[in-house]
Amino acid sequence: EAGVTQFPSHSVIEKGQTVTLRCDPISGHDNLYWYRRVMGKEIKFLLHFVKESKQDESGMPNNRFLAERTGGTYSTLKVQPAELEDSGVYFCASSTGTNLDTQYFGPGTRLTVL
Amino acid sequence: QKEVEQDPGPLSVPEGAIVSLNCTYSNSAFQYFMWYRQYSRKGPELLMYTYSSGNKEDGRFTAQVDKSSKYISLFIRDSQPSDSATYLCAGLTGGGNKLTFGTGTQLKVEL
């Protein structure tokens, strides 16, 4: 069974540009999460989807970030316009949604904003 | 104050040593405590979790939680070079889905 996949693995953009990150969860996982790790800091929660609905978006830093999960399958996270402080590693995780189910993480997308 | 504090290391030990990794937390609402292992350029992978206070053992790994002192520990016995990774502790509230991570401790087990 394929794990959580993320694309691209690495993105380098200039300040002010737009970047879209993609996450494909494990097949059948209704829950999808986005997390971010800024250099030197801990991994922080961004938001949580249950199927196509946003369950919790309390960690989204500001309105330059837009997450979507149309059809309840893959998800995209768009940053527009990107700022220097958006640099970091963006992780996606998925889970089945049962009580205390394991969140399976993807390898992350390393975003560098110059 | 961070909700989960963890010494970033790096921690270097010889093969076969017992490793002790520790975290403290401040959020009293945490009921579940996880340990994740992350290899370089990979995503975090769940090692084990405990519910409330107590111990849990899985092979060479033992997780301990002391809720009275808000202290979380992971012990690795007979450490191997393949254990070299970053170890992340995390807390989870009851019924919640949002993991709150520490910064991670980088461990290197040397031959």
Side-chain angles (χ1 to χ4, degrees), chain A residues 33 37 45 100 103 106 110, chain B residues 32 41 43 49 97-98 103:
Chain A
Y33 310 82
R37 181 171 194 149
F45 169 85
L100 189 58
Q103 293 184 28
R110 184 173 298 272
Chain B
Y32 298 92
R41 304 291 179 178
Y49 74 90
N97 298 89
K98 179 170 65 176
T103 51

Side-chain angles (χ1 to χ4, degrees), chain B residues 2-3 7 9 11 15 23 25 27 31-32 57 60 67 71 78 83 88-89 91 98-100 102 105 108 110:
Chain B
K2 290 180 183 177
E3 289 186 86
D7 186 336
L11 178 63
E15 182 180 9
C23 294
Y25 67 94
N27 189 343
Q31 293 191 20
Y32 298 92
E57 189 174 321
R60 295 184 295 110
K67 291 196 83 176
Y71 201 79
D78 188 24
D83 295 329
L88 303 143
C89 60
K98 179 170 65 176
L99 290 166
T100 302
T105 299
K108 184 172 184 180
E110 304 196 65

Side-chain angles (χ1 to χ4, degrees), chain A residues 31 33 35 37 40-45 48 56 58 91 95 99-108 110, chain B residues 2 4 32 34 36 38 41-46 49 51 86 88 92 95 97-104:
Chain A
N31 288 258
Y33 310 82
Y35 291 84
R37 181 171 194 149
K41 304 278 189 178
E42 67 275 21
I43 296 173
K44 280 194 171 181
F45 169 85
H48 169 208
D56 181 354
S58 61
F91 291 103
S95 69
N99 188 35
L100 189 58
D101 57 328
T102 300
Q103 293 184 28
Y104 296 88
F105 282 77
R110 184 173 298 272
Chain B
K2 290 180 183 177
V4 180
Y32 298 92
M34 280 75 168
Y36 280 81
Q38 185 180 15
R41 304 291 179 178
K42 301 286 187 182
E45 170 194 22
L46 181 65
Y49 74 90
Y51 172 70
T86 296
L88 303 143
L92 188 68
N97 298 89
K98 179 170 65 176
L99 290 166
T100 302
F101 285 94
T103 51

